[in-house]
Amino acid sequence: ALVGTAHFRLYWLCLNVAYVCEFFMQTLVKRGYMSQRWMLVLQQTLMLVSTAAALQVLQAVRPLPAVLSFALNFLRRGREVSNGCIVIGAAAALESLERSQGRGN
């Protein structure tokens, strides 16, 4: 499973570190303990590492459900739960279709 891989764990760690550091560094800048320029350098470095981790995870992502999720979350704002259900249903149907076609060959 994807969640158990080292690539996903690194991605998840980077995502959470980026989120926490964003607020922490903004506080340091507001209080004068860090310059805005230095904060941006640190954020860019963190984004570089996070992007490398995300690219590894993207190799395991199914494109059609990902694009559908992306589109629905923009087109149907505030309906995340039903959007998620639609994507899960579409992904399950796609997987079922692929399996039935694979057995026929």
Side-chain angles (χ1 to χ4, degrees):
L2 176 62
V3 176
T5 65
H7 297 304
F8 185 83
R9 290 179 183 191
L10 177 61
Y11 161 74
W12 193 251
L13 177 68
C14 287
L15 185 67
N16 284 292
V17 167
Y19 182 76
V20 170
C21 282
E22 172 74 23
F23 291 105
F24 180 66
M25 288 190 291
Q26 283 181 8
T27 301
L28 292 176
V29 169
K30 286 179 186 176
R31 295 187 179 178
Y33 295 112
M34 179 186 287
S35 70
Q36 180 82 21
R37 179 170 167 65
W38 183 241
M39 181 185 80
L40 292 174
V41 168
L42 290 174
Q43 284 178 334
Q44 288 173 348
T45 304
L46 187 55
M47 287 299 105
L48 182 64
V49 173
S50 298
T51 299
L55 290 175
Q56 293 293 320
V57 171
L58 281 176
Q59 293 175 9
V61 171
R62 297 177 59 126
L64 189 59
V67 169
L68 179 59
S69 176
F70 183 78
L72 286 175
N73 281 313
F74 274 102
L75 297 173
R76 302 180 69 227
R77 292 177 142 306
R79 297 180 180 151
E80 289 81 7
V81 173
S82 62
N83 290 345
C85 291
I86 291 168
V87 171
I88 290 170
L94 179 63
E95 186 173 332
S96 176
L97 180 64
E98 288 173 351
R99 283 185 182 174
S100 69
Q101 288 177 349
R103 289 185 193 139
N105 290 337

